């Protein structure tokens, strides 16, 4: 089947572009001595996780236990959970995973640490732990080296846990400063920092410049999107996932409606310097997807010299592709304009 025959809205993935993106990132990490641990939250597909591992990745990163469970079921054996686990239910699920595969988790507080310790006790298996620190993103993560030291000491003192190092997101110049101070402080206490895990596709080609980084967690690079193109780390020709949509109405000369709304496209915006609206329409780059209702995408055609007709199909580069993946039960893979397969997004909706 030709991809133009697919019913819309539908995410279509160009496998040749995926393969090129995966190979390029692995080559970058290999060149600079970084361990690649790709984040699967972008694609949520076991097939792609296994391909990343086959190309040389040293393991994968998951954001939630549900994602990790899906990947473990598919045969992935080395998983980092980059999100803090809190409470007995999470401990029981983490324990079940730790019995099957090599698990590493992150903590930034004693409550999360106790959850992981409980999991290790239940599993009778060792769990590696990274202490997360804040590199300026002002999200999770300890904010002082003394806090990192206290957690590292608590991890070392806890049966079943192994202190592996530090983690942050996004990695930046501040990362190097924190790591240098932490190595001096923890080293003075006889504690080795074996791993420093950083991440973020938007500045990925500069990660090797961050002193002390040993591991790279990136996800969006497999597909890229309007945001990573705007950040200068990819070109439009690198974008491997397009949302195909159909123009279903033209109420006025300068307004068109497509069959892709907030249930198909991310509501995330990009920087004004990158563009307006909720995605880039490749056939009509001057059109603006100015509003999203649940099933309607409203296009402003004022600045578009050419205007689409009712029934015309368009391809959209999403602003944030990770969200688009999670909105769809299935994705279609293709080569040279022909459909290869329809794949269930196995880890879709795994928010716990």
């Amino acid at each position: 089947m030709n991809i133009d025959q697919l019913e819309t809205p539908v995410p279509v993935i160009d496998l040749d572009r995926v393969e090129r993106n995966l190979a390029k990132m692995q080559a970058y990490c290999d060149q600079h001595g970084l361990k690649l641990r790709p984040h699967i939250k972008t694609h949520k597909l076991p097939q792609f996780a296994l391909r990343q591992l086959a190309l040389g990745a040293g393991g994968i990163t998951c954001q939630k236990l549900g994602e990790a469970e899906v990947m473990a079921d598919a045969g992935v054996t080395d998983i980092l959970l980059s999100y803090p686990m809190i409470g007995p239910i999470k401990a029981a699920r983490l324990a079940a995973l730790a019995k099957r595969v090599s698990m590493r988790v992150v903590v930034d507080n004693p409550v999360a640490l106790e959850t992981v310790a409980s999991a290790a006790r239940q599993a009778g298996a060792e769990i590696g732990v990274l202490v997360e620190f804040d590199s300026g993103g002002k999200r999770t993560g300890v904010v002082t080296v003394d806090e990192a030291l206290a957690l590292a000491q608590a991890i070392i003192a806890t049966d079943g846990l192994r202190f592996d190092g530090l983690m942050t997101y996004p990695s930046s110049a501040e990362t190097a400063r924190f790591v240098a101070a932490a190595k001096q402080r923890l080293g003075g206490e006889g504690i080795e920092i074996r791993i420093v895990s950083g991440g973020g596709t938007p500045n990925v080609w500069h990660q090797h410049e961050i002193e002390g980084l040993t591991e790279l967690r990136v996800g969006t690079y497999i597909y890229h999107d309007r945001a990573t193109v705007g950040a200068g780390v990819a070109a439009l020709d690198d974008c491997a996932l397009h949302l195909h949509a159909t123009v279903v109405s033209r109420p006025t000369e300068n307004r068109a409606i497509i069959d892709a709304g907030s249930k198909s496209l991310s509501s995330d915006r990009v920087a004004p310097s990158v563009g307006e609206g909720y995605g880039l329409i490749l056939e009509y780059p001057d059109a603006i997807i100015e509003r999203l209702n649940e099933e309607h995408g409203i296009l402003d055609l004022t600045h578009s010299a050419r205007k689409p007709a009712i029934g015309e199909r368009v391809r959209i580069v999403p602003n944030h592709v990770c969200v688009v993946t999670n909105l769809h039960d299935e994705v279609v893979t293709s080569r040279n304009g022909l459909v290869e397969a329809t794949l269930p997004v196995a880890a879709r909706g795994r928010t716990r």
Side-chain angles (χ1 to χ4, degrees):
M1 180 189 291
N2 190 289
I3 57 175
D4 290 337
Q5 297 173 281
L6 293 166
E7 187 176 9
T8 63
V10 59
V12 179
I13 297 165
D14 186 313
L15 291 174
D16 290 329
R17 292 186 180 189
V18 163
E19 191 69 17
R20 189 172 70 222
N21 292 339
L22 296 183
K24 182 178 180 180
M25 187 63 69
Q26 188 63 57
Y28 169 80
C29 289
D30 291 345
Q31 178 185 355
H32 295 288
L34 294 168
K35 179 179 180 178
L36 178 61
R37 185 178 284 276
H39 210 315
I40 61 82
K41 71 182 179 67
T42 300
H43 58 74
K44 295 179 177 284
L45 296 169
Q47 297 93 324
F48 284 170
L50 293 171
R51 181 58 182 154
Q52 289 168 314
L53 293 169
L55 287 171
I60 66 167
T61 305
C62 296
Q63 197 76 338
K64 295 297 182 75
L65 280 162
E67 293 177 343
E69 288 161 349
V70 168
M71 295 299 155
D73 288 345
V76 177
T77 59
D78 190 322
I79 300 174
L80 166 66
L81 275 169
S82 58
Y83 196 90
M85 302 291 107
I86 301 290
I89 296 176
K90 294 288 194 290
R93 292 172 64 196
L94 178 57
L97 278 167
K99 290 177 181 178
R100 297 195 285 153
V101 302
S102 174
M103 290 299 303
R104 184 176 287 127
V105 300
V106 302
V107 302
D108 73 351
N109 63 79
V111 178
L113 180 55
E114 175 49 38
T115 298
V116 180
S118 174
R121 289 193 297 269
Q122 293 176 53
E126 187 176 63
I127 297 175
V129 185
L130 300 174
V131 173
E132 183 176 7
F133 67 95
D134 181 14
S135 278
K138 299 188 184 303
R139 202 167 66 177
T140 47
V142 300
V143 296
T144 69
V145 171
D146 283 345
E147 290 175 292
L149 172 61
L151 282 171
Q153 290 172 326
I155 293 163
I156 293 167
T158 303
D159 289 342
L161 301 187
R162 181 186 67 248
F163 174 69
D164 285 340
L166 304 174
M167 190 205 87
T168 194
Y169 177 87
S171 32
S172 64
E174 179 57 32
T175 300
R177 289 190 285 270
F178 191 100
V179 170
K183 283 186 173 181
Q184 182 177 17
R185 185 80 170 89
L186 274 66
E189 299 293 331
I191 300 173
E192 181 186 7
I193 299 173
R194 296 191 304 107
I195 298 170
V196 178
S197 182
T201 300
N203 67 340
V204 67
W205 307 125
H206 297 281
Q207 296 289 304
H208 66 283
E209 299 169 3
I210 299 173
E211 188 70 28
L213 208 66
T214 68
E215 179 177 272
L216 185 57
R217 307 180 328 277
V218 281
T220 310
Y221 81 97
I222 188 172
Y223 296 150
H224 285 296
D225 55 22
R226 198 181 186 194
T228 62
V229 171
V233 300
L236 277 177
D237 284 345
D238 297 319
C239 292
L241 185 150
H242 297 150
L243 186 79
H244 289 225
T246 300
V247 176
V248 295
S249 179
R250 278 285 305 280
T252 70
E253 176 67 13
N254 289 323
R255 186 168 82 247
I257 313 299
I258 56 174
D259 59 355
S262 62
K263 291 181 177 178
S264 296
L265 281 168
S266 167
S267 59
D268 288 0
R269 305 297 288 262
V270 292
S273 59
V274 176
E276 299 182 74
Y278 295 94
L280 174 68
I281 301 176
L282 291 173
E283 292 81 4
Y284 299 93
D286 294 322
I288 299 170
I289 307 174
E290 64 171 353
R291 285 187 291 127
L292 296 177
N293 296 138
E294 290 183 59
E295 309 293 353
H296 299 73
I298 295 89
L299 276 54
D300 178 1
L301 305 175
T302 302
H303 302 292
S304 184
R306 295 173 49 252
K307 303 181 193 297
I310 295 173
E312 189 171 342
R313 298 167 66 98
V314 295
R315 296 167 300 152
I316 302 166
V317 177
N319 286 350
H320 186 184
V321 72
C322 306
V323 181
V324 172
T325 296
N326 196 52
L327 289 170
H328 294 266
D329 288 331
E330 298 176 331
V331 292
V332 172
T333 58
S334 69
R335 290 188 197 273
N336 300 317
L338 297 177
V339 172
E340 283 222 347
T342 298
L343 302 178
V345 184
R348 176 183 184 260
R350 301 297 177 121
T351 58
R352 297 192 296 273

